[in-house]
Amino acid sequence: MSSQSDVVPVAAEPETCAVRVVDPAKVALVSASLPEAETIVELAQVFGLLADPGRLRVITALLEGGEMCVCDIAAACGNSESAVSHALRLLRANRVVRVRRAGRMAYYRLDDSHVRMLLDLALTHVGHGTEGT
């Protein structure tokens, strides 16, 4: 059991936080260079899209296969065409993929080189953690 001397009364805690800034110049520089709040929200949406394993499989299939139709993406990923279509709809709405129509067929590909670079870097990062094991 603890003695009375071990117990710190709650009233002894300060009621307000004292913000301590070690390097005010660096804090000002970083604060000025942060993206706008709207940009941060959009970035979080992109990373949220990438956080779903099903969508990530679709994106990775397009990274490896280039332009593909829904049925080929579904076959490559082992998902239903319906699930892939739903994923592609979300990815297209957020400008991660684009579609090209040829008659009744729709072919999807990654929207631009930035998406490809982001995926390549993420895959390299994940692989980097397993190289030493």
Side-chain angles (χ1 to χ4, degrees):
M1 294 195 100
S2 61
S3 67
Q4 194 64 2
S5 63
D6 293 335
V7 178
V8 177
V10 175
E13 300 281 330
E15 291 185 25
T16 60
C17 291
V19 176
R20 186 175 146 203
V21 177
V22 176
D23 190 344
K26 185 179 280 186
V27 170
L29 180 69
V30 170
S31 294
S33 67
L34 289 176
E36 297 288 327
E38 185 178 311
T39 302
I40 293 291
V41 169
E42 288 179 25
L43 186 60
Q45 287 175 328
V46 169
F47 280 110
L49 288 168
L50 299 177
D52 177 77
R55 287 190 296 264
L56 198 51
R57 264 193 298 281
V58 168
I59 294 168
T60 306
L62 292 173
L63 177 66
E64 294 299 321
E67 190 175 73
M68 298 172 73
C69 69
V70 174
C71 54
D72 287 348
I73 298 168
C77 294
N79 291 340
S80 69
E81 289 181 29
S82 175
V84 169
S85 289
H86 179 69
L88 288 167
R89 194 170 22 257
L90 288 172
L91 295 169
R92 185 172 172 219
N94 287 278
R95 300 182 330 242
V96 176
V97 300
R98 69 174 49 185
V99 65
R100 177 183 65 84
R101 301 204 183 275
R104 294 178 49 154
M105 296 295 292
Y107 295 92
Y108 290 86
R109 68 178 187 271
L110 296 177
D111 189 53
D112 60 26
S113 62
H114 299 114
V115 174
R116 183 171 296 282
M117 257 188 343
L118 182 62
L119 291 169
D120 282 338
L121 285 172
L123 287 168
T124 300
H125 174 71
V126 170
H128 177 72
T130 60
E131 287 175 358
T133 57

